[in-house]
Amino acid sequence: MASNLERLKSIKLESYTYTIEKAKIRELAIAIGDQRDSYLNGEALPPTFAAVVEYWGGQSSASALLGLDVARVLHGEQEYEYVGEMNPGDEITVNAIIEDAYSKAAMTFIVMKKEFVNQHGELVLISRATIIEKH
């Protein structure tokens, strides 16, 4: 098992680019019930907008790439580190890598790190998600 986990570390996932559109900002504001004018007009981003970029931006399945049994997978944890600022109209490229993989209590934990880079090449956000697969 340990060698299988070691092979996962440092795997790079397919990069993708997402353009921040005003309509998606408005959709998120309505969905989370935070209907500030700046969000509804698409002039500012709710702090959780990175989740929209992650959800709509990538076309490939991390579970499939990592060979996980989706029926046994949970989303264990999510964190965001805000390094810069994302703005409406920005083109955000997301680069992902498996940062860590380990086994504990009959479960496999996989930590996926994503770096969000804007069209100017500036790192604006780092996200980490922990995927848990029950054995």
Side-chain angles (χ1 to χ4, degrees), residues 11-17 53-68 70 94-98 112 114 131:
I11 289 179
K12 293 182 181 178
L13 284 75
E14 184 178 341
S15 297
Y16 58 87
T17 299
V53 175
E54 290 184 310
Y55 185 80
W56 290 105
Q59 299 297 316
S60 63
S61 166
S63 294
L65 177 68
L66 300 173
L68 302 176
V70 190
V94 179
N95 304 302
I97 188 168
I98 302 303
M112 184 183 321
K114 294 181 180 176
I131 301 166

Side-chain angles (χ1 to χ4, degrees), residues 14-35:
E14 184 178 341
S15 297
Y16 58 87
T17 299
Y18 180 89
T19 301
I20 299 175
E21 298 174 355
K22 291 183 177 187
K24 287 296 182 197
I25 299 169
R26 178 181 171 83
E27 287 176 12
L28 177 62
I30 292 170
I32 62 175
D34 190 342
Q35 300 187 14

Side-chain angles (χ1 to χ4, degrees), residues 53-111:
V53 175
E54 290 184 310
Y55 185 80
W56 290 105
Q59 299 297 316
S60 63
S61 166
S63 294
L65 177 68
L66 300 173
L68 302 176
D69 179 355
V70 190
R72 297 178 177 268
V73 169
L74 296 172
H75 183 123
E77 183 177 348
Q78 182 73 49
E79 68 178 58
Y80 293 109
E81 178 182 348
Y82 298 89
V83 179
E85 193 173 311
M86 292 192 294
N87 295 294
D90 279 356
E91 292 184 9
I92 304 296
T93 299
V94 179
N95 304 302
I97 188 168
I98 302 303
E99 189 173 61
D100 198 7
Y102 57 93
S103 184
K104 182 170 85 175
M107 293 180 279
T108 298
F109 293 78
I110 299 171
V111 180

